[in-house]
Amino acid sequence: MSSTEKKEMVENATVLAEKFIKQHYNTDFVLKDYEIMDSSISSTLYLRGYITGHEDVLIYVYYDYRKKEISGAGGPSWFIDSGNPKKHIPSPSSTDSQ
């Protein structure tokens, strides 16, 4: 992958990551750096950054560069738990049995 292709991929992924964090967590994501996994290992681009007001807390956004979509986010539990429940699919353990 050329440096131009990498730059374009990171720019596109960053735009999607910003939208994802805004939609799911109602806050702003700021990119600090990134890591592109070798395609023989994974098709993931790890975007590392922070959210507004928590510049000292590392937040990850995972971008699948083959599918060209965000596959998730990671960070401290208080951040993940703050996500918009309407945007997340509940796990079977979190739903009530009837």
Side-chain angles (χ1 to χ4, degrees):
M1 185 181 303
S2 73
S3 61
T4 302
E5 290 171 322
K6 285 180 185 178
K7 181 181 177 191
E8 287 177 8
M9 180 175 58
V10 171
E11 287 174 358
N12 291 336
T14 301
V15 168
L16 291 176
E18 290 168 348
K19 289 178 182 178
F20 179 87
I21 295 297
K22 184 60 119 178
Q23 179 181 20
H24 292 269
Y25 300 97
N26 196 30
T27 191
D28 297 314
F29 177 76
V30 179
L31 179 69
K32 288 175 76 173
D33 64 356
Y34 62 90
E35 181 179 357
I36 302 170
M37 298 300 294
D38 186 275
S39 61
S40 65
I41 299 169
S42 170
S43 61
T44 303
L45 165 60
Y46 295 96
L47 300 166
R48 290 185 290 265
Y50 60 88
I51 57 170
T52 305
H54 296 277
E55 290 76 11
D56 58 335
V57 178
L58 193 59
I59 303 296
Y60 290 90
V61 179
Y62 313 111
Y63 175 76
D64 185 317
Y65 57 81
R66 285 196 184 119
K67 295 180 181 178
K68 298 184 179 183
E69 64 186 24
I70 300 298
S71 56
S77 60
W78 61 261
F79 169 71
I80 299 302
D81 292 345
S82 73
N84 184 342
K86 293 180 183 175
K87 302 293 181 189
H88 296 283
I89 300 170
S91 64
S93 63
S94 67
T95 57
D96 293 333
S97 299
Q98 295 185 4

